[in-house]
Amino acid sequence: MTPLKPTEDPWLALEIGNSRLHWALFIGNTLNCTWDTDHFPESSTPQLPECKSLADLPPEILPSFITGKLGGKNSTHPPIFLASVVPQQTALWQTHPHVRIITLPEIPLLNMYPTLGIDRALALWGAGKNWSFPMLVIDAGTALTFTGAAANKSLVGGAILPGLGLQFNNLGEKTAQLPQLKQEIISLPPRFALNTPAAIQSGIIYTMLAGIKDFIMAWWELFPESKIVIKGGDRILLCNYLQIQFPEIAAHLIVEPNLIFWGIREIVAAFPVN
Ligand SMILES: Nc1ncnc2c1ncn2[C@@H]1O[C@H](COP(=O)(O)OP(=O)(O)OP(=O)(O)O)[C@@H](O)[C@H]1O
Ligand SMILES: CC(C)(CO)[C@@H](O)C(=O)NCCC(=O)O
Ligand SMILES: [K+]
């Protein structure tokens, strides 16, 4: 792979989450744009190892407006820096000639444990480098996670629970009488509900908000001055409800969809350049 000129060369960041792929185009250090794509179907075996030029990447991965920004189909393939928490999807990219997989030991956080998710580590590193440590990151994704580090950039730890979508889906799937609901709750339901959909919504949303509040309060006991950043596909929904339920807490949250990309940028910037 040709070395990057950090100020001007284009490169792609790819985060493979459990629901979908999250992409970013960087020009040097500057984030140009982001987009999301689906996982590859398990059945398909994309010809990724054959990707020599941009023209070889399927259009469902690289939208034409991105190819345009990169100078058209015949231009040289930019490097892709990949971080994944889905090993089967990582495997598809492993042999791609321009892919560089980011691994946990490359992230300069102290006290990490070997099975820590790379997404959690990158988001925490990106948040801490951008705002400051101590730092707590809340990822409202497929899983809801809390991940915190102290002022000395040492991982304090965190917690993992089913995200909003998983809670709704699991309840609908594993019970005979409960319907599958979408988590698009327009307004907060009554806490003590008199119909089934509202009762499910109440149960899930109020316990989740109370849980988030409890983790935040516990974190502030340890690190009273700490900033807290929230990311993930359900961040806006959760922030809106936190705003109604616990406005004094919501006011302190920094909402940032691109945390992992900031983390990846830090790692890429530390890359040796000729
Ligand atoms: N367009 C969308 N596609 C899929 N999920 C979405 C979308 N918009 C919001 N969501 C919600 O976002 C949540 C998934 O979050 P996100 O996309 O951050 O997960 P992910 O790709 O698995 O990443 P992570 O591994 O960080 O959880 C789901 O609960 C889902 O309901
Ligand atoms: C928790 C998830 C699924 C969140 O994406 C991911 O970070 C992961 O698979 N983590 C591994 C376990 C851990 O972080 O302790
Ligand atoms: K699993």
Side-chain angles (χ1 to χ4, degrees):
M1 194 188 284
T2 37
L4 283 176
K5 283 192 228 73
T7 49
E8 58 209 69
D9 282 348
W11 55 277
L12 299 171
L14 167 58
E15 187 227 342
I16 304 184
N18 276 295
S19 298
R20 46 192 175 147
L21 312 189
H22 308 278
W23 292 87
L25 166 64
F26 278 85
I27 310 294
N29 288 325
T30 309
L31 180 70
N32 184 285
C33 64
T34 66
W35 66 103
D36 296 326
T37 61
D38 290 335
H39 283 170
F40 290 119
E42 303 265 316
S43 53
S44 84
T45 42
Q47 300 302 303
L48 292 174
E50 310 297 323
C51 285
K52 299 242 158 41
S53 80
L54 280 177
D56 299 326
L57 271 185
E60 59 270 26
I61 295 177
L62 207 62
S64 56
F65 78 96
I66 303 290
T67 314
K69 282 173 189 267
L70 289 167
K73 286 193 163 196
N74 296 321
S75 31
T76 48
H77 199 308
I80 302 175
F81 290 85
L82 182 157
S84 170
V85 294
V86 187
Q88 302 92 315
Q89 291 283 313
T90 320
L92 299 172
W93 292 93
Q94 216 124 32
T95 49
H96 187 295
H98 300 281
V99 163
R100 176 69 177 63
I101 295 172
I102 297 172
T103 58
L104 205 55
E106 291 172 88
I107 299 164
L109 283 170
L110 306 174
N111 198 40
M112 290 189 294
Y113 56 92
T115 62
L116 177 71
I118 189 91
D119 57 342
R120 300 177 64 195
L122 279 169
L124 182 55
W125 186 246
K129 292 295 275 187
N130 252 290
W131 282 278
S132 61
F133 291 97
M135 172 59 72
L136 179 69
V137 171
I138 304 175
D139 186 348
T142 311
L144 185 88
T145 62
F146 301 89
T147 315
N152 64 356
K153 306 180 176 74
S154 177
L155 179 71
V156 174
I160 304 171
L161 65 146
L164 213 47
L166 268 186
Q167 296 203 25
F168 280 100
N169 289 340
N170 237 355
L171 201 57
E173 266 167 27
K174 305 286 185 199
T175 54
Q177 294 207 108
L178 299 187
Q180 280 281 358
L181 297 183
K182 294 233 185 322
Q183 67 260 45
E184 290 143 17
I185 311 155
I186 312 298
S187 56
L188 277 176
R191 186 184 287 265
F192 296 101
L194 279 169
N195 66 68
T196 304
I200 294 172
Q201 290 180 337
S202 168
I204 291 176
I205 196 71
Y206 287 111
T207 54
M208 190 165 256
L209 295 177
I212 291 173
K213 178 193 178 192
D214 192 62
F215 270 90
I216 289 176
M217 299 312 285
W219 182 255
W220 276 336
E221 294 253 313
L222 293 171
F223 303 99
E225 304 290 308
S226 176
K227 298 213 161 90
I228 301 179
V229 187
I230 182 165
K231 69 175 285 284
D234 291 318
R235 69 188 181 281
I236 294 169
L237 198 134
L238 283 178
C239 279
N240 287 344
Y241 297 135
L242 274 172
Q243 182 66 45
I244 299 167
Q245 195 72 353
F246 306 115
E248 69 291 353
I249 286 189
H252 283 90
L253 295 187
I254 301 168
V255 184
E256 175 52 63
N258 295 320
L259 269 191
I260 292 202
F261 298 137
W262 303 144
I264 292 179
R265 182 176 68 176
E266 292 292 330
I267 303 303
V268 170
F271 252 61
V273 185
N274 288 354

